[in-house]
Amino acid sequence: MRTLCFFEYLIGTSERVSFSKTPKHFTTFLHPQPNLDHSMDNVAYTQLLQSTASSQSLIHGKEVHAHMIRVRFNPCLFLQNNLLNMYCKCGDTTFARRLFDRLPKRDTVSWNSLISGYIQTGHTDRAMDVFVQARNANVKIDRFSYGTMLGICSRSGDLKLGKVIHGLVVVGGFHQHVFLTNSLIDMYSKCGRIDEATRVFDNAAELDDVSWNSLISAYVRIGLAEDTLKILSQMHQLEMKMNSFALGSVLKSCSSLKSSKVVGEMIHGCVVKVGLDFDVFVGSAMIDLYAKNGALNSAVKVFRLMPDPNVVVFNAMIAGFCRMEVEIENELINEALGLFSEMQRRGMWPSKFTFSSVLRACNLANAFEFGKQIHSQVFKNSLQSDEFIGSALIDLYSNSGSMEEGFRCFYSVPKQDIVTWTSMISGCVQNEHFESALSLFHDILSIGRKPDQFTISSIMSACANLAMVRSGEQIQSYAIKVGFDRFTICGNSRIFMYARSGDVDAAEKTFQEMENRDVVSWSAMISTHAQHGCTRDAMMLFKEMEDCMVAPNHITFLGVLTACSHGGLVDEGFGYFESMKRDYGLNPNVKHCACIVDLLGRAGRLADAEDFILNSGFDYDPVMWRALLGSCRIHGDIERGACVAKRIMELEPDASASYVILYNMYLDAGKQSLATKIRDLMKDRGVKKEPGLSWIEIGASVHSFVAGDKSHPQSHAIYAKLEEMLSKIEKIAYARTETLRFNDPSPEKRQNLMNCHSEKLAVALGMIALPEAAPIRVMKNLRVCQDCHTTMKLFSESERREIVLRDPIRFHRFRGGLCSCRDFW
């Protein structure tokens, strides 16, 4: 009765429905001329219902249904099934169920229609209930019902239920139908059981092109590239038809193979032979494969041959320009940005992937202004809340140093996944906001998010830069607990953390325990030995790296050259410098050349170092001249040092380092008046010297000091301990010619010793607070001075304690009155 009322309502309102977009035949059938009979036959109603089902126009379908009731038409079962199918296709499963329950007679099509309707609207549980009801009602279920249920198992990953359906298929005698064979292969592969999928394939009574392509997709899905190629070869031998999806999937899987470029070219030939070289899906896969292997010319050729590239093809090419494993050239990145402009000229609508790829290109090319323009388009298209675009924007602003904008982008993403959090943490580490990085990591854990290996790597880098080894060890313990310690990236960060904290032994142990070392692992360990003055260890490790067939990169050679520089090995350093270009095809950058300048300068070959700068092509870079200026001070070449300092001041008028070095050089030579002029020049130009800051980690706390600092709660005890230590080393200093600075007993000199540098205060606190067996590790933001270096040697001898002092350039490990740098720094 309620159903009848509903239809009466439809009949009463049907005349008021707008027919401006109604097909002509609807107007003819539903609003006939007055002199025509209003009744229609099953065929006419069926055509109307099938038309509405195709267009998914629910209002038109209801009008047809209402018309059938108004003229009291008695539909056959075939027409009733079409009516049920119409409601299901239009998404009105509630009324479809009502109609189904009132059907006087149902067949297999009726049950299949309702099951399909529930699946289309996402109600898989209801679809499963209907399937069970059909079996309980002894309905003869056909292969399409079983195929539909296997599709549910594929989407949900319900292997247990899938096996039950498989058993019913066999019992029902449908296992020989190729349609169900393909459904079973798809179900098992999506549930991660490639062995079962292969068994179904091998035991099938009949196979078609879909069967082979489904099996290929299954192997591609789990990353078995070599097995995928074997199946593709068998298909080719049996002359089976390959579709574009299968070939595109195979091309994507080939990128993991060592010989992926060769294999890709072979498949490319196959693609051309079967006539799919213009297919956009296959074309985008080819572009991606060539780009990943560095064959950008081939990728560009494929792109240019595409007659009508769509957004997906453009995205593949843009991303291809940003996927080079070697150093990115700005010319290539500009090509990517040019493609984005071409997309806009063609009137294409960029996708989320387009924007994220273009933003990555802006990051690589340091095209921050262009990136900001892209950001405005992202905002215009209301895509700023996308997590992938949000991460790319965070990287953009982090790389440009705009952390405030980076945080604004971070908080504008409502769904902050772990990638977004990691991007923000990495940006903080990159811009030396280490405390903010640690705070973000704490927030991740507090809201119950699970960090990944990249998050762990970034936060350990923050601990490394702060020399917070205790905090780093706690994070390492967390990584072990969740199983991230096996990842190479975490092992590399752990090496870096221990190295930056001055614990070279722990770094070496971590390196030896790593199962999968990459070039970053070797480079990190070589650099660690170099910074700690272990020159021979660094060179031996480099030789071992070559024996293991690991190709060094720019960072590796920078570590080796640094080791040679700190060890005074001129010939060996030049040998590595030449090998870098000759044997590995790596072009030295300004940092490598600065190492050579430092190497020559420390060896006293100041003229050679200056000639090297002038011929290096980097004579415009202040880093090169600053390395020479430091050597001029070491060897007391005041005249050359003054000229070099003048050159640096022209290149970097606001940088204080060159002024300070020249000032100290004049003081060392006893030229007080010239030193005073440099100090006055700094005042006139508004150049301020960066204050010296030292810090030490005691337990879970970090204690920092500046020169003459008395703000610490234990200040009285610290100065008392320092007084005690200075009294001890005076006795040793009198017996050594190398420490004549300490032989001045005047009150003024004594006062200067007490108004000590920050590292002395930090060491004194370490002597008080740390156990005798624990080394004292102090970090400083400026280079250690000669007086403090000598003092630390004497402290290590008088107190019988190991002291590790890190400055921005290297580590000094003091033991028994000696330093690991051998006074060569």
Side-chain angles (χ1 to χ4, degrees), residues 674-735:
L674 293 176
T676 302
K677 288 183 179 180
I678 297 299
R679 186 178 60 190
D680 294 339
L681 181 62
M682 291 180 67
K683 291 181 180 180
D684 294 341
R685 295 183 176 181
V687 178
K688 294 183 179 181
K689 176 182 177 295
E690 181 182 1
L693 178 69
S694 299
W695 63 94
I696 183 173
E697 185 179 18
I698 307 292
S701 303
V702 177
H703 304 259
S704 58
F705 299 89
V706 295
D709 198 339
K710 295 186 178 181
S711 62
H712 195 276
Q714 295 179 268
S715 179
H716 181 75
I718 290 172
Y719 275 90
K721 182 62 178 179
L722 186 58
E723 167 70 23
E724 176 189 334
M725 291 191 298
L726 288 173
S727 298
K728 289 183 181 179
I729 67 173
E730 283 181 353
K731 300 176 182 178
I732 304 174
Y734 278 119

Side-chain angles (χ1 to χ4, degrees), residues 26 30 45 48-49 52 59-68:
F26 271 95
L30 299 182
Y45 281 121
L48 285 172
L49 290 173
T52 57
I59 185 65
H60 294 157
K62 286 183 176 180
E63 285 186 331
V64 175
H65 195 179
H67 192 275
M68 292 167 59

Side-chain angles (χ1 to χ4, degrees), residues 505-741:
D505 295 331
E508 177 71 28
K509 183 179 179 181
T510 301
F511 177 78
Q512 296 298 337
E513 291 176 348
M514 289 180 64
E515 296 180 2
N516 301 309
R517 304 169 190 160
D518 58 9
V519 64
V520 178
S521 314
W522 290 92
S523 301
M525 202 62 238
I526 289 172
S527 299
T528 298
H529 285 309
Q531 291 175 349
H532 284 80
C534 307
T535 302
R536 294 298 175 185
D537 291 336
M539 296 170 67
M540 289 174 60
L541 199 60
F542 182 81
K543 180 64 170 59
E544 185 180 345
M545 178 183 181
E546 290 183 314
D547 293 341
C548 293
M549 305 299 292
V550 179
N553 60 15
H554 286 80
I555 305 299
T556 317
F557 275 103
L558 182 62
V560 175
L561 290 174
T562 301
C564 294
S565 174
H566 289 171
L569 305 177
V570 179
D571 294 336
E572 290 85 344
F574 268 99
Y576 288 118
F577 188 75
E578 293 299 326
S579 173
M580 178 181 180
K581 298 179 289 184
R582 180 185 65 247
D583 300 331
Y584 296 99
L586 299 174
N587 293 321
N589 58 33
V590 64
K591 293 182 179 180
H592 300 102
C593 293
C595 282
I596 296 297
V597 174
D598 190 60
L599 180 65
L600 292 170
R602 289 176 183 276
R605 297 167 56 177
L606 300 178
D608 293 339
E610 187 171 1
D611 290 340
F612 181 85
I613 295 175
L614 296 173
N615 296 320
S616 66
F618 296 110
D619 55 308
Y620 58 86
D621 198 305
V623 173
M624 303 284 283
W625 295 103
R626 196 177 298 118
L628 179 58
L629 181 59
S631 299
C632 290
R633 182 190 176 189
I634 292 174
H635 295 284
D637 193 336
I638 299 177
E639 183 178 352
R640 190 187 304 274
C643 295
V644 172
K646 182 179 179 181
R647 181 68 179 269
I648 300 174
M649 293 173 189
E650 292 174 354
L651 296 172
E652 280 186 332
D654 297 328
S656 63
S658 54
Y659 296 91
V660 173
I661 293 175
L662 186 59
Y663 173 81
N664 289 327
M665 190 187 304
Y666 284 139
L667 283 183
D668 292 342
K671 299 182 180 297
Q672 183 66 45
S673 60
L674 293 176
T676 302
K677 288 183 179 180
I678 297 299
R679 186 178 60 190
D680 294 339
L681 181 62
M682 291 180 67
K683 291 181 180 180
D684 294 341
R685 295 183 176 181
V687 178
K688 294 183 179 181
K689 176 182 177 295
E690 181 182 1
L693 178 69
S694 299
W695 63 94
I696 183 173
E697 185 179 18
I698 307 292
S701 303
V702 177
H703 304 259
S704 58
F705 299 89
V706 295
D709 198 339
K710 295 186 178 181
S711 62
H712 195 276
Q714 295 179 268
S715 179
H716 181 75
I718 290 172
Y719 275 90
K721 182 62 178 179
L722 186 58
E723 167 70 23
E724 176 189 334
M725 291 191 298
L726 288 173
S727 298
K728 289 183 181 179
I729 67 173
E730 283 181 353
K731 300 176 182 178
I732 304 174
Y734 278 119
R736 296 191 179 181
T737 56
E738 65 174 344
T739 55
L740 290 177
R741 292 171 184 258

Side-chain angles (χ1 to χ4, degrees), residues 244-525:
S244 60
F245 180 77
L247 282 171
S249 300
V250 172
L251 285 167
K252 290 183 178 181
S253 70
C254 286
S255 59
S256 62
L257 296 173
K258 292 183 179 179
S259 57
S260 57
K261 183 180 178 182
V262 177
V263 175
E265 290 173 346
M266 294 170 60
I267 299 176
H268 192 179
C270 181
V271 167
V272 175
K273 186 176 179 179
V274 299
L276 291 174
D277 48 325
F278 291 154
D279 182 86
V280 290
F281 184 77
V282 176
S284 61
M286 283 301 315
I287 292 170
D288 185 68
L289 177 66
Y290 281 128
K292 283 182 178 178
N293 286 277
L296 272 179
N297 290 333
S298 299
V300 171
K301 287 179 181 178
V302 173
F303 175 77
R304 295 302 179 192
L305 287 173
M306 298 291 292
D308 189 22
N310 61 4
V311 175
V312 176
V313 177
F314 268 94
N315 288 348
M317 194 66 251
I318 291 172
F321 281 118
C322 305
R323 281 181 179 163
M324 296 290 291
E325 295 296 330
V326 297
E327 288 189 341
I328 301 294
E329 298 179 7
N330 284 336
E331 183 180 349
L332 299 179
I333 302 304
N334 291 332
E335 288 283 346
L337 299 179
L339 285 177
F340 179 75
S341 299
E342 185 178 342
M343 284 181 65
Q344 293 181 311
R345 287 194 298 271
R346 293 192 180 200
M348 293 184 177
W349 195 265
S351 66
K352 295 178 181 180
F353 186 78
T354 312
F355 282 118
S356 60
S357 296
V358 173
L359 286 170
R360 172 172 163 75
C362 294
N363 281 322
L364 293 171
N366 295 326
F368 302 125
E369 292 302 320
F370 193 89
K372 291 178 181 179
Q373 296 177 29
I374 302 298
H375 188 184
S376 65
Q377 293 195 30
V378 168
F379 192 83
K380 182 179 179 181
N381 289 277
S382 301
L383 295 175
Q384 66 273 16
S385 60
D386 179 77
E387 54 267 30
F388 295 103
I389 294 177
S391 296
L393 286 170
I394 291 170
D395 292 339
L396 176 76
Y397 288 111
S398 297
N399 291 338
S400 64
S402 303
M403 289 305 300
E404 184 177 350
E405 290 295 329
F407 272 106
R408 187 174 288 113
C409 292
F410 174 74
Y411 290 120
S412 69
V413 179
K415 184 182 176 182
Q416 296 169 343
D417 61 2
I418 196 60
V419 177
T420 313
W421 282 94
T422 303
S423 295
M424 196 68 251
I425 290 175
S426 298
C428 291
V429 174
Q430 180 181 345
N431 288 276
E432 299 184 358
H433 295 183
F434 306 120
E435 292 84 357
S436 297
L438 290 169
S439 176
L440 285 171
F441 184 73
H442 181 269
D443 292 342
I444 289 178
L445 299 180
S446 64
I447 63 176
R449 288 290 177 88
K450 300 295 183 183
D452 60 13
Q453 64 269 29
F454 302 104
T455 319
I456 296 296
S457 175
S458 296
I459 202 63
M460 287 183 72
S461 296
C463 294
N465 283 283
L466 290 173
M468 297 175 62
V469 66
R470 182 177 176 84
S471 299
E473 287 175 342
Q474 291 177 346
I475 294 172
Q476 173 61 21
S477 299
Y478 175 84
I480 294 173
K481 181 180 179 180
V482 297
F484 289 149
D485 58 309
R486 68 181 187 277
F487 289 102
T488 302
I489 187 174
C490 291
N492 294 339
S493 296
R494 189 179 176 189
I495 292 173
F496 180 65
M497 179 195 70
Y498 283 125
R500 294 286 290 173
S501 301
D503 195 344
V504 66
D505 295 331
E508 177 71 28
K509 183 179 179 181
T510 301
F511 177 78
Q512 296 298 337
E513 291 176 348
M514 289 180 64
E515 296 180 2
N516 301 309
R517 304 169 190 160
D518 58 9
V519 64
V520 178
S521 314
W522 290 92
S523 301
M525 202 62 238

Side-chain angles (χ1 to χ4, degrees), residues 729-786:
I729 67 173
E730 283 181 353
K731 300 176 182 178
I732 304 174
Y734 278 119
R736 296 191 179 181
T737 56
E738 65 174 344
T739 55
L740 290 177
R741 292 171 184 258
F742 288 98
N743 296 338
D744 183 4
S746 65
E748 182 181 357
K749 179 63 180 178
R750 182 72 176 175
Q751 186 63 33
N752 287 336
L753 287 173
M754 289 306 299
N755 293 333
C756 51
H757 286 175
S758 56
E759 56 264 52
K760 295 178 184 176
L761 296 172
V763 168
L765 176 61
M767 293 286 182
I768 297 172
L770 292 175
E772 292 184 3
I776 298 172
R777 296 188 173 93
V778 175
M779 313 299 149
K780 188 177 182 182
N781 64 332
L782 301 178
R783 296 204 68 181
V784 60
C785 66
Q786 179 69 48

